[in-house]
Structure formats: structure tokens, C-alpha cells
Amino acid sequence: MDEVQQQREAADEKLIYDAFQVLLNDYLNSRHRKKTDLITKAFNFAKQAHKGVRRLSGEPYIMHPIAVAQIVCSEIGLGSTSICAALLHDVVEDTEYTVEDIENMFGPKIAQIVDGLTKISGGIFGEQASAQAENFKKLLLTMSEDIRVILIKIADRLHNMRTLDSQPANKQYKIAGETLYLYAPLAHRLGLNKIKSELENLSFRFEHPEEYQDILNKLEATRVSRHQSFDNFTAPIEETLKRMGLKYEIRERIKTPFSIWTKMQNKHVSFDDIYDILAVRIIFKPTSREMEAKECFNIYVELSQIYKSHPDRLRDWVNHPKSNGYQALHVTLMSPEGFWIEVQIRSERMDEIAEQGLAAHWKYKEGGEYSEDENEMNEWLHTIKEILDDPQPDAMDFLDAIKLNLFASEIFIFTPKGEIKTMPADCTALDFAFSIHTFLGSHCIGAKVNHKLVPLSHKLQSGDQVEILTSKSQHVSPSWINFVYTAKAKAKIQSILRRDNREVLQEGENLLNSWLTKNGFEASDAIIDQLAMFHDMKNQEELFIALGEKSVLLGEKDIDELKGKKSESSTNWLKYVPFVKSKKKEEAAQPELFTVPEKFNRKKPIYITDDNIHQYKFPDCCHPIPGDDVLGYIDKKNQIEIHKRSCSVANMLKTSYGNRILDAKWDMHKKLFFDASIHMAGIDRRGLVNEVTRVISNQLNIDIRKLTFTTEDGIFDGVIDLRVHDCEDLKEIMDSLKSVEGLKEISRIM
């Protein structure tokens, strides 16, 4: 062994030893029962098992399990069982050792958790939607056995996101997409607020690096003025808290870059138009556990003497904790500068639960040291299991249903007898009926809300008292799916409709099979999928039902489609052309789409140029233009679709078909024109429209395709459809329009 290699190995040993010592010290400083021998044994075993293996970053592989164990210990607050399982989580998948070996050395509990982690380690998402649903189902069933499996999996994903720089761009988009779609909401649902925020921000950073950096720069530029606002706002609050004799801490909470960007996208506003970037958090030490709630409200009463409070923005999570255990009193106060500022009032215990979630509950059990308890989430797991009992056949529908429950904000509904039920915000009377019992939901004809008769679709508000009205003659209607919100209600309605649809579906399948046989085709999933796509159906089942209901009839066009022929009059391809060659409208020629060869290098980016842009598909879900962050997706025909990375369809593709995602970059030279739209609003005045069109047409020499303006009570609202070369053109137009007097809001319509 040469001297350089010896030095490298010595440096690796020191790196590994130092990291493990930090982990041990953090564990020893916790209130868990001290089992350092077991943790050291797991570390030595994992270190030996992964010996000689390195990560893409170049560091020894064992650094990853140590880092995951560190997150499990310090950031989630779990004990020796979870730390050992985290250290061992990749051993069974990546080495020759088996679950039985783990059980023999570390006992059944650690082995069970490692086995659960191994089962879902291939990524929750497979290449096919069916595999994805199956893996997700497996994940949730594993969770029901031991919640620590998912907590360690979230820690594993967090460390992978922190070290994502070493992965190629197409992998970054896939992993970031999965993280945002599933892991961040799971962390949120489990109360891991700090981890949820970091996962969201890391996903944002890798998918939209320029926008991420731009927001960071703007936050830095406004830091001094923000600190000044914070100091001015909190000075009288500090005096009051001291006068009350409380031990407290006041923290400045800044909205995360991801939250800012999301609000900018949803509200179509600029960074400067977001006024709730700053929030204030008061964390106090209560005189006793029994006095926590009372002291939260005492602080609120005192604060409302200093500043005016917003009457509609008091959130009492103290007496009605969220289902993930979150407790706090949220109030919104008017600052001296004229901005609403949210103040979160929490005890030290509430703050720790807000950051660490489920694990922090164990810390506040009676007694000195404490052990882990995996039975805190039974109610939520029960809901998930109900959905698992009858999942939709389409995997993405199933995931969306789960995601609805993960993201849901909560409201409180009273039964006629005064019992409190927790429901997601935006739920309807029908959701509430299904939450009580499937029979009640399926025979629901209406409800009485606060003793007033309302329809099934009536949206419930927190504090409503609801009585469900039923009739035996009532039957589930397909239209119900359009106004229920909860995953449980959607799953039950679809289950009942599927049962009703089985005969129609069977008839449609029989019709299709006989038609295929008659025309010399052999029935296969590929052929049926092709026909479903041709008729714009989401899946085979939808096609069968349409055939059974006679809303789709098979004919010559279907034979041509299956034989690869295209009708001369067909213009389907036109929807994939997002550009024109000149300002004068020319007759378009049918593009020859690029087909991905078998040995195509998917790690390298594809470059979209003026010459090859016609070879790619541009579906009409997101309308990207040069300068937008984009990615490529290899579809079932091995042709490449181009989507914005933030497109909702792209998010589904990243999570479901990660291996088909490509990094895509623009290499355009302002030869082609693309459609784009700008939204404007402001104070109406005479000559305003004329000035807007003069700036765009005369000053910038840009074609206006369409202009729509409405005015009401002195306020105008307008949309301009333009033809531009790229995002740079669009930014120049928007910057120029800011000089027009009266324009208050200018944003791109995505």
C-alpha cells in the first residue's frame, strides 16, 4: 500500500471516528435510556459491512448511515433503537447480510425496522404507476407496524437532499420531485416542521436554482430593514412580558424561500408585494403544565392592549391541537408601520413538539429517562388503512388521495350531541357524512348546519354543528366526486361507482376484445393503452366504460392509429407547436419528432435550439418559453415532452417515472416567437390603455395579440397576450410597464 493511500485511509478513519463521536455525545445528552454499547456495536457492524464503498461525493459510504442516525437522534429526538436501525438501514440492501443476521445480533425490534426500511428502499416510486402504488401501499403498511420506519426514511431522504449536488441533473429533478410530492408532506403530517421546511427549500434550490438564489439575495438585501421592523415591533412586547414576570424568548421567524416563491406563483405577485415575510414567535416557560393554556391567552390579552388584533386570524391550536400534535396560539397584530404581523405564542414544550413532532411527545412522558413509543399515530394510520383496503386502480389517483390527507389544514365540527370531530379545511357536508360511516355518506340527501338546511356540497366552517340527513332511496352519483375533498370520501365514492360500473366496464371490455379480434389485432396492455391515449382517456378502465356506455365507438381511425398511419387531415400534432417562425403567420409543416434510441445517455442534458425545437413535444399544460426552468420527459412513444419544472404534470411525472426524466436546457437565439400573457391591475384613469400599448408596441416593438381590460369602481384589471422571444423579453416589458402611472400589479400568467 503506497503512502498516499495510507494517508487517505487515515484521514477517512478520523473523519468517520469524529462523526460517530458527535453522534454519541448528542445521544448521551438526551433523556433516553443510555445504551451506548448497542449503538457502538451497530456502528462497528455497519462500518465493516460498508468497508471500501464510497458515495458519489467520494466520501466513505458509512458517513451516510452516521449522518442519518445523527438526524434521527438530534433533529427528530429518537433513541437507541432508532439510532441503531438508522446505522444499519442500508446493510441488508447493499451487502451480503440478511435480516436474520440483524435479528441474531441486535434483536427482533431493530431487525423489524431495518426490514421495513429495506422493503421501501428502492424508492417509494417505481418506473410504472402500478409499482408506485404498490410500493406506497407497502410503505404505509410498514408504518402501521412501526412509525419509526417512516421517521428514519424521512431522515434518510433529508441527508440525500443535503448531498444532492453530487447527482446528475436529471436525477436531481426526480429526487427533488419525489421529496416535494411525498416526503415533505409526510414530515408535515408527522409534525416535523423544521425538516419539512428544509426538504421544501432543498427541492426548490435544485429545481429552480436561479429563482432560489434571487429570493435569497432579496432576503439579504432587506435584512437590515426587517431587523429594524422586528426590533420596533417587539420592544413594547418585551416590556410587557417582563412586567408579567415570565421567562421567555422572542424569535424572528422569516418565511422560507420556498414559501415565498409558492406565494409569488399562486398570487401572481412579485417579491416586493409579499408583506408577511416576517413573523414573531414568543416561547415562554409556564409556571406549570396545567397553566400553559391559560398563560398563552394571558399573553394574547396583553398583546392586544399594545396592538390591534385581526379578528378573523386568531387560531387556537392550544385547546384544539392539530392531529400531528402541534400546539400554539396564533394571533395577527397590526404593526406601527401598517403591516399585519403574525405572532405565535407557545410554551417550551409546544415549541419542541412543533420542531420535532411525534418524537418530542415521548420526551414529556412522566419520569426521568424515557423509551420510544410507536403508538401515537393510530388514528391517522386507521384512516390510511381504510383507503388501502380499497385503493383506486390508478396509482397517481391513489397517491393524490393520500396527498390530500397529508396536506390538509384542519377545522373542528360539532355533532348534534356536541362531540368534536376534526376535519380537513374545505371539506363539505358529504365529506363529514362519509367520515362518520360509509352507509351515512352513500345515502346522504343533505344536512342541517347550525340548524339550517344545506345541500351536500355545502362547505363547512370551523365551529359548525352538523346533522346529516339520509334517505334509503338515495344512491351515489358520479357528480359527487366533484365536490368532496377528503381522501376517504373520494375513495368510498369511487369504490361504490366502480361496483356499479362493473357491468358497463365488462361490456366495454368484451366489445373491445371482439373488435380487436375482428380486425386482426391481439389484445394486449400496450395496444389498449395506445387506444386509451388516442381517445384522451386516463387509463384502460376509463376506455372500457366509455365503450360500454357507447360514448366512444371504434372505427377506421383506430385501425390507422394501431397500424401507425396518420390521417392526412389529422392536426393533433399542432398542439405540440408552441412557436411561430416569424411575425407573419406561416403555414406550419408537420414536425418530425425525435425518437429516443435504445442506448441514449439520459444523464446528459438535451439542448433545445432554434433548429431542433420542432422535434420535441410541448403539451399545453404549462406553456414554457426560452428562459423558463424546464425538463424533458420520454413518453410511451419514446418521444420527448418539454415541461416547466414547476408544472403540476411534471411533478406527477417526476414522482412516477423518474427514470424517464431528462435535464433540458435552452440554446435559443431570438429567432422564434412564443406566446406569453401578462396580468395587470391598478387605478383606472383616462389614457391608461393607450399608454400601456404605446410602451409595448412603440417603445419595445412587440406585437400585442390580444388585449382585455375591465374596470369597476375606479379599479382596472387587464390581460395582454403577447408574442415574445424569451423570458428576457417578458421581463423587459414588465419592467418598462412599471413606469406607467397607476399600474400597481404586473405579473406573468403562468
Side-chain angles (χ1 to χ4, degrees), residues 267-275 678-685 688 692 709 714-718 734 737-747:
K267 302 275 187 186
H268 300 300
V269 294
S270 67
F271 179 90
D272 298 329
D273 294 322
I274 295 178
Y275 298 113
I678 293 174
H679 171 259
M680 296 176 301
I683 311 301
D684 190 25
R685 61 177 172 82
L688 178 71
V692 167
F709 270 89
I715 304 294
F716 81 86
D717 195 86
M734 290 164 69
L737 287 172
K738 285 175 184 174
S739 64
V740 175
E741 185 190 340
L743 278 184
K744 299 296 183 186
E745 294 177 16
I746 305 167
S747 60

Side-chain angles (χ1 to χ4, degrees), residues 618-637:
F618 287 79
D620 55 7
C621 48
C622 57
H623 302 293
I625 67 173
D628 283 328
D629 291 334
V630 290
L631 54 76
Y633 164 66
I634 303 170
D635 67 13
K636 289 181 180 178
K637 295 182 179 179

Side-chain angles (χ1 to χ4, degrees), residues 412-419 432 447-452 454 458 460-468:
F412 304 101
I413 304 299
F414 291 90
T415 67
K417 292 182 179 177
E419 296 170 8
F432 184 67
K448 281 187 177 178
V449 174
N450 305 325
H451 310 293
K452 288 183 181 175
V454 298
H458 177 82
L460 301 178
Q461 305 291 323
S462 205
D464 281 347
Q465 188 170 30
V466 182
E467 180 187 351
I468 299 300

Side-chain angles (χ1 to χ4, degrees), residues 27 30-35 77-82 109 148 358-376:
Y27 171 66
S30 75
R31 278 180 56 208
H32 284 280
R33 290 179 190 152
K34 304 302 180 280
K35 295 183 181 177
L78 297 174
S80 59
T81 304
S82 297
K109 181 50 71 179
R148 288 172 289 194
L358 195 63
H361 286 280
W362 307 325
K363 189 167 179 178
Y364 291 93
K365 299 282 183 194
E366 294 300 317
E369 291 188 324
Y370 62 100
S371 59
E372 296 179 5
D373 176 356
E374 62 269 29
N375 297 316
E376 297 277 333

Side-chain angles (χ1 to χ4, degrees), residues 346-542:
R346 318 171 165 173
S347 69
E348 290 174 343
R349 180 189 68 84
M350 293 173 190
D351 184 62
E352 202 156 350
I353 287 170
E355 297 304 316
Q356 292 188 334
L358 195 63
H361 286 280
W362 307 325
K363 189 167 179 178
Y364 291 93
K365 299 282 183 194
E366 294 300 317
E369 291 188 324
Y370 62 100
S371 59
E372 296 179 5
D373 176 356
E374 62 269 29
N375 297 316
E376 297 277 333
M377 297 292 284
N378 284 343
E379 193 177 327
W380 180 54
L381 289 169
H382 179 70
T383 305
I384 298 294
K385 275 186 165 181
E386 283 193 344
I387 296 169
L388 286 171
D389 287 340
D390 192 3
Q392 291 88 346
D394 185 86
M396 293 315 299
D397 284 351
F398 174 56
L399 273 177
D400 277 342
I402 297 290
K403 191 174 167 224
L404 277 177
N405 264 11
L406 294 176
F407 269 132
S409 300
E410 289 153 330
I411 59 174
F412 304 101
I413 304 299
F414 291 90
T415 67
K417 292 182 179 177
E419 296 170 8
I420 291 183
K421 299 279 185 186
T422 304
M423 293 291 294
D426 292 328
C427 73
T428 62
L430 188 57
D431 284 305
F432 184 67
F434 273 107
S435 76
I436 297 170
H437 198 279
T438 304
F439 180 86
L440 209 61
S442 57
H443 291 86
C444 180
I445 54 171
K448 281 187 177 178
V449 174
N450 305 325
H451 310 293
K452 288 183 181 175
L453 199 60
V454 298
L456 302 176
S457 57
H458 177 82
K459 278 197 176 181
L460 301 178
Q461 305 291 323
S462 205
D464 281 347
Q465 188 170 30
V466 182
E467 180 187 351
I468 299 300
L469 306 174
T470 60
S471 165
K472 286 182 181 178
S473 61
Q474 178 70 298
H475 293 289
V476 172
S477 162
S479 64
W480 288 10
I481 210 78
N482 298 321
F483 57 76
V484 289
Y485 179 79
T486 59
K488 179 176 179 178
K490 281 182 187 288
K492 293 296 181 188
I493 291 167
Q494 286 171 328
S495 170
I496 293 163
L497 289 174
R498 274 201 305 279
R499 205 161 55 231
D500 295 345
N501 276 337
R502 267 177 206 143
E503 286 182 21
V504 177
L505 188 146
Q506 190 60 53
E507 187 182 344
E509 190 172 359
N510 293 340
L511 278 170
L512 177 62
N513 287 333
S514 61
W515 181 86
L516 288 171
T517 305
K518 181 182 169 187
N519 289 284
F521 297 104
E522 190 176 333
S524 69
D525 281 346
I527 278 185
I528 299 170
D529 283 342
Q530 190 177 349
L531 284 172
M533 188 183 291
F534 182 63
H535 287 282
D536 288 328
M537 301 291 174
K538 281 196 297 186
N539 50 44
Q540 293 186 14
E541 184 179 291
E542 202 172 298

